[in-house]
Amino acid sequence: MNAFDVLLERGFIATEDDGTPKQVTDMKIRDILEKKSIACYIGFDPTATSLHVGSLVQIMVLAHMQRAGHRPIALVGGGTAMVGDPSGKSEMRKMLTAEDIEQNMAGLKKQLSRFIEFSDDKAIMVNNADWLSPINYIEFLRDYGVHFSINRMLAAESVKLRLEKEQGLSFLEFNYMLLQAFDFLHLIKNNDCILQMGGDDQWGNICAGIDLIRRVERKTGYGITFPLITTASGAKMGKTEKGAVWLDGDLCSPLDYYQFWRNADDRDVKKFLGLFTFLPMDKVNELGELQGKDINEAKRILAFEATKLNHGEEAAKTAQETVEKIWSGDKKGADIPSLEVESSELEEGILAAELFFKLNLTPSKSEAKRLIKKGGASVNDERIQAFDFKITTSHLQEGEILLRAGKKKYAKVVVK
RNA sequence: GGUGGUGUACCCAAGUGGCCAAAGGGGGUAGACUGUAAAUCUACUGACGGACGUCUUCGAAGGUUCGAAUCCUUCCGCCACCA
């Protein structure tokens, strides 16, 4: 099957009610993907040291492309990150220093490598700062500025939105579109990259690139965008204030990562299986049919597969075992966060709230006390009643003490 | 450059001298109910302290006042119109 149909089938590409694909600049791209091997790209912003699950759609798309025999290019917006994309944002983005960007890029490559094979240039990562930085303003205006129509740019949805809102739009941000268009032009010239993809907030930028390519190179570029994935409850995926679900294991442990998927909304399970695993579609459909509590089996598989992709099979197995041990009531030796304490300390008794805080079960001691008051904290699965409850050696069970915050977060204390 | 407006906690948004750690909503967390789901109901949601106490917070720095998010001064950011 060609890459286009794969993406379509797995739910990456939005469709009309009758099933015809939306957000594709030209359906010819389907035939092209069928008949030959091409290079395609997606841009990532190096705004943090880690990507989070919000970028996973883009990553998976590149991975599917590679599997179908195409060559993915991950473009890191090292140059454009210094400008800021107005698309979809109500605020101006903070600008980053070159050092920040450098550091972030390294993180991104590491993470992308888990999904995409970069060896032998089967995929490449490029930084648009390489060609954007040397640009000379006058030359750029003369050579490319002539090709951009302000009228057309103003009509772009992303720009229109900002103009309507009271935030307005600075000239700096307005230029983002030109730079991104230039990226595409650069890649089609130097890497034969004829396809750009991205989130659907990138539609206008992608079209601008295609336009520019037609005018300058007399070639045809193609674009496909993907709808923003929201959870069934309407929230943007993986972007909770406190816990953006990062791909980096240091920022979000494999265990938490596993649990994130395990706790997916019923209504999202089928969609997620298609988007975020490589399971064959008949398997996905089969799992998607499950109803009622049987759907937990599908979530189990989703969590495992998703974790495997990001953290590797070993980590996924460990996470799954740990979680299932805990839920089956067997908490001994589970691989959960732990803290060592001196036995003398424990003999005197340690404030439970203190331990909850130290084990990151709560962000502060106050929060821990609140949790206890709410009845959400327990020691060895017994609810703590008093906010100044002390934990002592009497709570030791086979050398450890199990702490639990809420239903799902566990940690343990062990004696040195 | 001129005029007017605006800057509040994770986000949106009230608040124009004390009753403001700051209404309301969203989000988040917890409890009940369940299927580690959803929906619903309830509670919590600055930090620290044995909960009535202290400290830090309302763009920044100063000032007036017994007392300021609220008044004054300067500065910074953003917005709109004019030029």
Side-chain angles (χ1 to χ4, degrees), chain A residues 342-357:
Chain A
E342 301 286 354
S343 63
S344 59
E345 247 183 296
L346 199 58
E347 258 158 54
E348 286 170 33
I350 308 173
L351 228 46
E354 178 94 30
L355 288 173
F356 273 77
F357 168 60

mmCIF file of all heavy atoms in Angstrom, chain A residues 342-357:
data_model
loop_
_atom_site.group_PDB
_atom_site.id
_atom_site.type_symbol
_atom_site.label_atom_id
_atom_site.label_comp_id
_atom_site.label_asym_id
_atom_site.label_seq_id
_atom_site.Cartn_x
_atom_site.Cartn_y
_atom_site.Cartn_z
ATOM 1 N N GLU A 342 17.522 6.683 56.561
ATOM 2 C CA GLU A 342 18.259 6.069 57.661
ATOM 3 C C GLU A 342 17.256 5.431 58.605
ATOM 4 O O GLU A 342 16.196 5.988 58.865
ATOM 5 C CB GLU A 342 19.041 7.151 58.435
ATOM 6 C CG GLU A 342 20.031 7.915 57.605
ATOM 7 C CD GLU A 342 21.278 7.101 57.284
ATOM 8 O OE1 GLU A 342 21.413 5.988 57.811
ATOM 9 O OE2 GLU A 342 22.114 7.595 56.506
ATOM 10 N N SER A 343 17.613 4.281 59.143
ATOM 11 C CA SER A 343 16.677 3.624 60.043
ATOM 12 C C SER A 343 16.462 4.443 61.315
ATOM 13 O O SER A 343 15.389 4.426 61.896
ATOM 14 C CB SER A 343 17.155 2.220 60.375
ATOM 15 O OG SER A 343 18.393 2.297 61.052
ATOM 16 N N SER A 344 17.525 5.177 61.712
ATOM 17 C CA SER A 344 17.367 5.991 62.914
ATOM 18 C C SER A 344 16.306 7.067 62.708
ATOM 19 O O SER A 344 15.506 7.370 63.583
ATOM 20 C CB SER A 344 18.698 6.643 63.275
ATOM 21 O OG SER A 344 19.138 7.446 62.211
ATOM 22 N N GLU A 345 16.314 7.619 61.495
ATOM 23 C CA GLU A 345 15.328 8.640 61.166
ATOM 24 C C GLU A 345 13.920 8.071 61.243
ATOM 25 O O GLU A 345 12.994 8.690 61.744
ATOM 26 C CB GLU A 345 15.564 9.101 59.722
ATOM 27 C CG GLU A 345 16.034 10.522 59.564
ATOM 28 C CD GLU A 345 16.155 10.865 58.106
ATOM 29 O OE1 GLU A 345 17.001 10.246 57.408
ATOM 30 O OE2 GLU A 345 15.386 11.716 57.656
ATOM 31 N N LEU A 346 13.822 6.894 60.723
ATOM 32 C CA LEU A 346 12.520 6.253 60.649
ATOM 33 C C LEU A 346 12.017 5.908 62.043
ATOM 34 O O LEU A 346 10.818 5.924 62.312
ATOM 35 C CB LEU A 346 12.621 4.993 59.785
ATOM 36 C CG LEU A 346 11.306 4.464 59.228
ATOM 37 C CD1 LEU A 346 10.627 5.547 58.401
ATOM 38 C CD2 LEU A 346 11.569 3.244 58.378
ATOM 39 N N GLU A 347 12.956 5.579 62.917
ATOM 40 C CA GLU A 347 12.534 5.233 64.270
ATOM 41 C C GLU A 347 11.878 6.418 64.965
ATOM 42 O O GLU A 347 10.929 6.267 65.716
ATOM 43 C CB GLU A 347 13.737 4.736 65.079
ATOM 44 C CG GLU A 347 13.745 3.218 65.197
ATOM 45 C CD GLU A 347 15.132 2.678 65.491
ATOM 46 O OE1 GLU A 347 15.717 3.148 66.475
ATOM 47 O OE2 GLU A 347 15.606 1.809 64.736
ATOM 48 N N GLU A 348 12.425 7.583 64.687
ATOM 49 C CA GLU A 348 11.818 8.769 65.278
ATOM 50 C C GLU A 348 10.487 9.096 64.626
ATOM 51 O O GLU A 348 9.651 9.780 65.196
ATOM 52 C CB GLU A 348 12.745 9.981 65.104
ATOM 53 C CG GLU A 348 13.949 9.949 66.018
ATOM 54 C CD GLU A 348 14.950 11.032 65.650
ATOM 55 O OE1 GLU A 348 14.503 12.104 65.191
ATOM 56 O OE2 GLU A 348 16.148 10.785 65.800
ATOM 57 N N GLY A 349 10.335 8.622 63.417
ATOM 58 C CA GLY A 349 9.106 8.922 62.704
ATOM 59 C C GLY A 349 9.318 10.092 61.759
ATOM 60 O O GLY A 349 9.926 11.083 62.119
ATOM 61 N N ILE A 350 8.865 9.934 60.550
ATOM 62 C CA ILE A 350 8.974 11.001 59.565
ATOM 63 C C ILE A 350 7.569 11.398 59.151
ATOM 64 O O ILE A 350 6.703 10.538 58.956
ATOM 65 C CB ILE A 350 9.748 10.531 58.317
ATOM 66 C CG1 ILE A 350 11.088 9.916 58.740
ATOM 67 C CG2 ILE A 350 9.954 11.674 57.357
ATOM 68 C CD1 ILE A 350 11.848 9.280 57.616
ATOM 69 N N LEU A 351 7.384 12.695 59.044
ATOM 70 C CA LEU A 351 6.082 13.193 58.621
ATOM 71 C C LEU A 351 5.727 12.615 57.242
ATOM 72 O O LEU A 351 6.511 12.713 56.308
ATOM 73 C CB LEU A 351 6.154 14.713 58.551
ATOM 74 C CG LEU A 351 5.030 15.514 59.214
ATOM 75 C CD1 LEU A 351 4.704 14.995 60.607
ATOM 76 C CD2 LEU A 351 5.417 16.978 59.264
ATOM 77 N N ALA A 352 4.557 12.058 57.169
ATOM 78 C CA ALA A 352 4.141 11.463 55.895
ATOM 79 C C ALA A 352 4.188 12.494 54.773
ATOM 80 O O ALA A 352 4.661 12.221 53.670
ATOM 81 C CB ALA A 352 2.740 10.883 56.027
ATOM 82 N N ALA A 353 3.722 13.686 55.089
ATOM 83 C CA ALA A 353 3.693 14.740 54.069
ATOM 84 C C ALA A 353 5.093 14.994 53.521
ATOM 85 O O ALA A 353 5.286 15.217 52.327
ATOM 86 C CB ALA A 353 3.118 16.020 54.656
ATOM 87 N N GLU A 354 6.045 14.933 54.417
ATOM 88 C CA GLU A 354 7.433 15.137 54.036
ATOM 89 C C GLU A 354 7.880 14.106 52.995
ATOM 90 O O GLU A 354 8.496 14.426 51.985
ATOM 91 C CB GLU A 354 8.287 14.994 55.301
ATOM 92 C CG GLU A 354 9.771 15.122 55.089
ATOM 93 C CD GLU A 354 10.233 16.546 55.334
ATOM 94 O OE1 GLU A 354 9.603 17.231 56.147
ATOM 95 O OE2 GLU A 354 11.202 16.948 54.676
ATOM 96 N N LEU A 355 7.534 12.880 53.257
ATOM 97 C CA LEU A 355 7.934 11.808 52.349
ATOM 98 C C LEU A 355 7.225 11.905 51.002
ATOM 99 O O LEU A 355 7.824 11.669 49.959
ATOM 100 C CB LEU A 355 7.643 10.450 52.987
ATOM 101 C CG LEU A 355 8.582 10.079 54.145
ATOM 102 C CD1 LEU A 355 8.111 8.801 54.817
ATOM 103 C CD2 LEU A 355 10.008 9.919 53.646
ATOM 104 N N PHE A 356 5.974 12.259 51.056
ATOM 105 C CA PHE A 356 5.228 12.389 49.804
ATOM 106 C C PHE A 356 5.868 13.455 48.919
ATOM 107 O O PHE A 356 5.972 13.303 47.713
ATOM 108 C CB PHE A 356 3.762 12.751 50.085
ATOM 109 C CG PHE A 356 2.907 11.541 50.316
ATOM 110 C CD1 PHE A 356 2.947 10.875 51.526
ATOM 111 C CD2 PHE A 356 2.093 11.057 49.304
ATOM 112 C CE1 PHE A 356 2.182 9.745 51.733
ATOM 113 C CE2 PHE A 356 1.323 9.917 49.506
ATOM 114 C CZ PHE A 356 1.362 9.257 50.725
ATOM 115 N N PHE A 357 6.305 14.490 49.581
ATOM 116 C CA PHE A 357 6.937 15.579 48.838
ATOM 117 C C PHE A 357 8.284 15.141 48.290
ATOM 118 O O PHE A 357 8.598 15.346 47.121
ATOM 119 C CB PHE A 357 7.094 16.784 49.765
ATOM 120 C CG PHE A 357 7.982 17.857 49.210
ATOM 121 C CD1 PHE A 357 7.671 18.484 48.016
ATOM 122 C CD2 PHE A 357 9.135 18.232 49.884
ATOM 123 C CE1 PHE A 357 8.482 19.482 47.505
ATOM 124 C CE2 PHE A 357 9.950 19.220 49.369
ATOM 125 C CZ PHE A 357 9.628 19.841 48.179
#
